[in-house]
Amino acid sequence: MEINKPDKKFQDASIVPMHTAEHILNQTMVRMFGCERSKTSHIEKKKSKCDYFLKEQPSQEEIIKIEERVNEVISQNLPVHISLVSCSEVPDCVDLSKLPEDVSETLRLVYIGDYDICACIGEHVEQTSEVGTFKIISSDYKDGKLRIRYKLFNSSYQEKK
């Protein structure tokens, strides 16, 4: 399976800012809670959700801090760029657990400044400031799983043609 070309599912321009926000949220969760990136997510234009496995429920203050940190990263106007590398060149910090067994020898890595690096086949904004304002609209915790639902406001992303 070739992974160095964007997947059709993630080429929809309407979800590009939301998909980039997912990357930032994932790295924020890794840094704040030491958990893995979201294994399940549902990315849509109007609202999205990501699930994280945590040992205990975050406090309301921690939920607020997640939102604040994501918005801090967005406001830094970090560049987002793509790099194609062989599997042997992938940095150790990149989680490859979601990749299919028949992945190609060449991987597509997405860098969000020096904040995040992830193997990904989706499209992304060029600068984090295009994402807009990240808002957690709800969260719930059950059986070790934290679900975060979020929206974006004031995105400046314009479809590239």
Side-chain angles (χ1 to χ4, degrees):
M1 167 182 270
E2 281 298 317
I3 196 163
N4 57 359
K5 294 182 182 166
D7 184 280
K8 248 185 175 175
K9 174 182 173 184
F10 292 105
Q11 288 184 20
D12 180 351
S14 70
I15 67 165
V16 168
M18 197 68 86
H19 186 158
T20 306
E22 176 199 10
H23 282 251
I24 298 168
L25 173 60
N26 278 328
Q27 185 57 235
T28 299
M29 294 299 293
V30 168
R31 291 180 183 208
M32 284 183 67
F33 299 98
C35 63
E36 293 184 353
R37 299 174 80 88
S38 175
K39 293 293 184 194
T40 56
S41 60
H42 189 76
I43 308 302
E44 295 292 335
K45 178 181 179 179
K46 293 184 179 184
K47 65 180 178 179
S48 296
K49 63 184 174 186
C50 294
D51 295 335
Y52 300 93
F53 294 96
L54 304 175
K55 292 178 182 170
E56 57 187 50
Q57 181 174 4
S59 66
Q60 187 57 38
E61 292 79 19
E62 288 173 312
I63 298 295
I64 291 167
K65 191 66 175 168
I66 294 166
E67 181 178 290
E68 289 172 351
R69 286 195 182 173
V70 169
N71 281 312
E72 286 171 13
V73 173
I74 291 168
S75 71
Q76 291 174 18
N77 198 28
L78 299 173
V80 179
H81 73 276
I82 308 301
S83 178
L84 300 178
V85 300
S86 71
C87 287
S88 63
E89 297 173 312
V90 175
D92 291 338
C93 64
V94 177
D95 178 6
L96 301 178
S97 65
K98 290 172 92 173
L99 298 182
E101 288 183 25
D102 61 344
V103 69
S104 70
E105 175 56 30
T106 302
L107 293 182
R108 185 175 184 268
L109 299 181
V110 175
Y111 292 81
I112 299 180
D114 61 358
Y115 191 73
D116 186 51
I117 177 175
C118 178
C120 184
I121 52 179
E123 291 294 325
H124 300 82
V125 299
E126 292 180 1
Q127 301 285 139
T128 57
S129 62
E130 294 178 278
V131 169
T133 302
F134 175 89
K135 176 73 178 161
I136 295 176
I137 55 174
S138 69
S139 64
D140 55 73
Y141 182 83
K142 183 178 180 183
D143 299 329
K145 180 172 75 174
L146 172 68
R147 174 164 287 172
I148 294 177
R149 293 171 197 85
Y150 64 95
K151 286 186 169 189
L152 298 177
F153 297 92
N154 304 318
S155 173
S156 65
Y157 175 78
Q158 300 295 317
E159 183 177 345
K160 310 292 189 253
K161 295 193 180 199

